[in-house]
Every structure is written in structure tokens, then in C-alpha cells.
Amino acid sequence: MFWRRAKADEPAETGDAGDAGDPLATDSAEAADSPESIDTGPNRETPDDAAADATDAGDATDAPEATDATLVVGLQASRGFVARLRSILGAGTDEAAWEEVEETLIAADLGARLAIDVVAAARRRPAATPVEAVRAELRDLLVSRPASPWTPPRPWPDQPAVILVVGVNGTGKTTTIAKLAARFKAQGQRILLAAADTFRAAAIEQIQAWAGRLDVPVVAHAAGADPSAVVFDALDAGMARRSDLVIVDTAGRLHTKHNLMDELAKIRRTIDKRLPGSTPAVLFVLDATTGQNGLAQAEAFNEASGLTGIVLSKLDSTSKGGIVFAIERALAVPVLYVGVGERLGDLVPFDPDAFIEALFA
């Protein structure tokens, strides 16, 4: 179900809006003569591309639940650096061997400083084998978290929880939103999407395509509209429909674009105004293949918007799984989910022990 704001010279749309006061309408027509969208990155998409992205990710109504087995399969590429560690330390533990371990960890995207610290601590740690010592040190790098699965905060039962999804274009942000929506909907929650990425070409069409496949409502304005206005109307719709969760797609901005980063702060103020006392989750989608460059992006977003969690996408496409350890140590922000495939069910809740077990399997 799609909604867009009517233009000033356009008659008001009519239709069954469901609950009284619900600002969602059942019009799926595209806005005409929309303002030109601002391209915030090199990954411009057409509406056909957006629809193809939604189609290629598997059946939204039959998304398998991710399991530890899914994680093991998804981390096949990342286990390459662990195999290298085993090979090095199996041949001996002299100074040259530990230097190779250090180089291997750096190549796996831990970063030089962190790799040096891990090796130094592993050499001091009493353990059955040197590999077990390295494994234990890597586990200790991960941020502690509750044993129960993560759920977005919902301070008041009569208000929806809110997730702001932020990140750079091309990281899999919109697909991650679809996977999150599918996951929470499967848990029985009422989901509403907000198409607040009004700058990127075809971003609105892409989120609408996903909403159609998932059978969840979406609030959208015309391209180039004020993202904060989209969020305000989405929160209105969420309240009227008694939604459990509103997931907001934000513009895929570069972390060096201060005007776009400032827009995130404006969106936060809008949420505070419409839902006083709410504490929206701010999830940063990090492409695991970008390594240390992605870490720099995350640091900038954390400073600008106060990240509460990380979603690590495309982990199945990289042999450098060390970015998980680097980002948690640098930001003290937990990785909440990892993407290990293209299907909707391939978004795995991040469990540190299961991750280490899969990595060293």
C-alpha cells in the first residue's frame, strides 16, 4: 500500500484509508513532474533496476529462518584467514611465525594497531594451542550484549518502535531494510516503511517494490521532497495503524557531505517532536567488502547520528571477516546482524560465540 503527498494544484486523493485519521491512502500512482533528485553517489539506479533487485532476492513469503548452519556457509570466504593462521602456527611459534600472524590479521581487515594488540595478548595467554589463544583474543574483542535476540526499543506501548537505517549508497541498505521488515513481520509485528531517501534516483520505487513483495504499507512523497516530512507522515501513519515498527530508509549519503549528514539530525528532531520520549534505533549498514574504508564511514556516522547498531552486509562476499572485530573495538557499537546471502532469510542475528565458532569451523 503506497501513499504520496498531493501537489498543491492537484485534487485530494480519495479511497479507503482504513482506520480513522490514517494518512495512508491506496494510491500507487507515481508523482508527475517531480523535482530532480540529487545523486549522492555513483550507484544510480533505474526503476527497472529497483524491481529487479526486489525480484532477485527470493520469495518474500517463504523466507527461511537464518540458522547457525547458514552462518557457517556464509562465512566460507572469511574462513580463509583462519586457515592461514592455522597453517602458520602449525609450523612453529617463533618470532617470524607471529609476525606472519600479525600480517594475516592486518590483511583480514583488523587494522595494524589492533592486529599488533591481538598478537601480543595471544602470546601471553595460556592456552592449549597458539590458535586457541588467537581465537580467545578475537572473541574478547566483541562487545558484550544481552543473551536474548535484539529488538528495537519501544518506550511506550501505544507508540511504534523506530529504526533509522543509514549508510552509503551501494552497501545494500535498501535490501537490508527489506530483510529486517521480513524478519520482524514473520515474528508477528505490524511493519510500516518510510521512503525517506528522496535524493537517489529510483530509491522510492525500490522501497515501494519491496513493500509490495512483503505486503507491508509504505509512506512515500515525490522525489526531492523533504525527508523529515516523509518521516513525520510515516510516524502519523504508524500511530493511526497501531504499527509495532516503522523502518525508515534514509538517503545513502557520503560521510563527507555535511549537509546530508545534518539531515539525519533533522530527522531525529522530527521523531522527537512526533514521538516525544522515543529512542529510535540507528542502524548503520556497512559493506563488509569495503574493509577499513567502511570503518572510517561508520566512525563519521557514529559521530553525527549516534549509532546504536551495525548491520554488516555482504559478509559472504569477502575473505576479510576481521572487519567485525575492528568495528566493534573502534566504536563499542554492537554488530546486530550480518548478511550472508541474497535471500531474505540470509540476514543472521549476530551472536559472538556462534560467529567465532563458524569462523573457526
Side-chain angles (χ1 to χ4, degrees):
M1 183 174 295
F2 309 134
W3 176 87
R4 66 178 177 88
R5 183 184 294 278
K7 296 181 177 231
D9 58 350
E10 182 177 304
E13 295 170 350
T14 60
D16 182 8
D19 297 336
D22 186 351
L24 281 175
T26 56
D27 177 31
S28 61
E30 295 180 2
D33 300 323
S34 300
E36 183 179 356
S37 60
I38 301 172
D39 184 12
T40 59
N43 300 291
R44 296 181 66 89
E45 294 181 340
T46 66
D48 289 341
D49 294 331
D53 285 344
T55 303
D56 290 343
D59 189 348
T61 61
D62 190 28
E65 181 70 17
T67 63
D68 289 348
T70 308
L71 185 60
V72 171
V73 173
L75 289 179
Q76 283 180 343
S78 294
R79 286 201 296 274
F81 87 88
V82 174
R84 174 67 177 155
L85 291 178
R86 287 198 172 104
S87 176
I88 294 168
L89 294 173
T93 55
D94 57 13
E95 194 68 30
W98 283 110
E99 287 181 4
E100 283 192 70
V101 169
E102 199 174 284
E103 293 170 1
T104 300
L105 293 176
I106 293 172
D109 274 337
L110 260 76
R113 182 68 262 170
L114 189 54
I116 292 170
D117 291 346
V118 167
V119 167
R123 296 182 71 171
R124 294 191 302 266
R125 178 186 283 266
T129 66
V131 172
E132 286 300 317
V134 173
R135 171 177 172 155
E137 289 302 323
L138 291 176
R139 174 61 184 86
D140 287 350
L141 294 175
L142 299 177
V143 177
S144 61
R145 65 207 75 205
S148 57
W150 177 83
T151 56
R154 189 178 184 182
W156 313 109
D158 60 341
Q159 293 182 359
V162 180
I163 298 178
L164 291 181
V165 183
V166 303
V168 176
N169 280 342
T171 59
K173 180 169 57 70
T174 308
T175 303
T176 296
I177 289 171
K179 291 178 178 181
L180 287 170
R183 169 170 289 277
F184 287 114
K185 183 183 178 184
Q187 295 173 2
Q189 296 197 40
R190 296 182 295 271
I191 311 299
L192 186 140
L193 302 182
D197 182 356
T198 61
F199 298 110
R200 178 172 60 89
I204 296 171
E205 291 88 343
Q206 188 178 12
I207 203 73
Q208 286 177 333
W210 275 119
R213 286 186 60 79
L214 295 168
D215 191 25
V216 297
V218 57
V219 171
H221 291 193
D226 181 359
S228 294
V230 178
V231 173
F232 191 91
D233 285 344
L235 297 178
D236 267 353
M239 291 288 288
R241 289 172 170 267
R242 305 182 189 276
S243 299
D244 298 306
L245 175 62
V246 174
I247 305 178
V248 180
D249 183 20
T250 64
R253 59 208 76 216
L254 297 173
H255 59 287
T256 55
K257 299 292 186 182
H258 297 293
N259 58 325
L260 291 179
M261 295 295 281
D262 289 344
E263 186 64 46
L264 286 177
K266 184 179 177 182
I267 289 174
R268 291 291 297 267
R269 292 193 298 271
T270 297
I271 295 173
D272 290 339
K273 180 179 179 180
R274 184 60 186 86
L275 302 178
S278 66
T279 53
V282 184
L283 304 189
F284 177 76
V285 180
L286 172 63
D287 181 348
T289 65
T290 61
Q292 291 291 308
N293 288 335
L295 178 56
Q297 296 167 5
E299 289 173 334
F301 274 86
N302 190 40
E303 182 178 349
S305 56
L307 303 181
T308 60
I310 306 293
V311 180
L312 200 59
S313 66
K314 308 179 188 179
L315 193 58
D316 57 313
S317 302
T318 180
S319 60
K320 300 181 178 183
I323 190 62
V324 174
F325 307 103
I327 198 166
E328 290 215 355
R329 166 56 74 88
L331 303 181
V333 174
V335 173
L336 298 177
Y337 295 96
V338 291
V340 292
E342 295 183 357
R343 300 182 63 184
L344 284 171
D346 290 336
L347 187 69
V348 183
F350 184 78
D351 175 81
D353 293 323
F355 177 76
I356 291 291
E357 189 68 30
L359 199 60
F360 281 81

